[in-house]
């Protein structure tokens, strides 16, 4: 892992740490439900912004927007999601349509 990747991982771990274990546990429970629902509906692939919208519509808000970027790594570690290696343009106004990694529910 190069220095840039190491800094990214360190920042993600700090963002998660600052939100506390109860918040992370709730986020992972919501991610699991989100993934199960997507799979049931035949839509296993998604952008993480879709999960964020889902979680926020159910009252899960982050103190820092940076924490949303750290959640996929936690979801991968728990075996909830995997990267497809593909990218799609985001749709939220805040992200300005930049390419984002496509995730797959497991």
């Amino acid at each position: 892992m190069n220095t840039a990747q190491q800094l990214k991982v360190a920042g993600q771990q700090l963002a998660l740490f600052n939100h506390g274990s109860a918040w992370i546990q709730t986020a992972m429970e919501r991610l699991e439900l989100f993934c199960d629902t997507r799979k049931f509906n035949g839509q296993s692939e998604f952008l993480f912004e879709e999960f964020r919208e889902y979680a926020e519509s159910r009252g899960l808000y982050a103190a820092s927007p940076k924490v949303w970027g750290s959640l996929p790594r936690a979801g991968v570690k728990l075996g909830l999601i995997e990267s497809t290696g593909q990218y799609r343009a985001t749709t939220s106004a805040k992200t300005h349509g930049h390419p984002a990694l496509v995730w797959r529910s497991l």
Side-chain angles (χ1 to χ4, degrees):
M1 192 177 326
N2 66 37
T3 303
Q5 291 169 324
Q6 290 171 334
L7 290 172
K8 176 182 176 181
V9 169
Q12 289 175 338
Q13 290 172 340
L14 181 61
L16 284 176
F17 176 79
N18 287 337
H19 275 75
S21 60
W23 190 92
I24 297 165
Q25 181 176 345
T26 299
M28 291 299 98
E29 289 169 358
R30 301 262 170 94
L31 180 59
E32 184 174 19
L33 182 58
F34 174 81
C35 289
D36 288 346
T37 302
R38 302 261 325 169
K39 287 188 297 185
F40 180 79
N41 292 325
Q43 301 170 322
S44 64
E45 294 184 357
F46 65 96
L47 296 180
F48 220 76
E49 72 175 352
E50 295 171 82
F51 170 67
R52 179 181 181 169
E53 291 170 6
Y54 169 89
E56 288 179 343
S57 73
R58 286 154 180 80
L60 183 66
Y61 296 95
S64 166
K66 294 179 181 181
V67 76
W68 295 107
S70 62
L71 290 180
R73 178 179 286 272
V76 168
K77 285 184 179 180
L78 290 174
L80 300 175
I81 60 174
E82 68 181 359
S83 167
T84 65
Q86 299 173 349
Y87 289 82
R88 276 197 322 236
T90 56
T91 59
S92 72
K94 292 179 183 179
T95 57
H96 306 289
H98 72 79
L101 192 56
V102 177
W103 297 95
R104 180 180 301 113
S105 304
L106 297 177

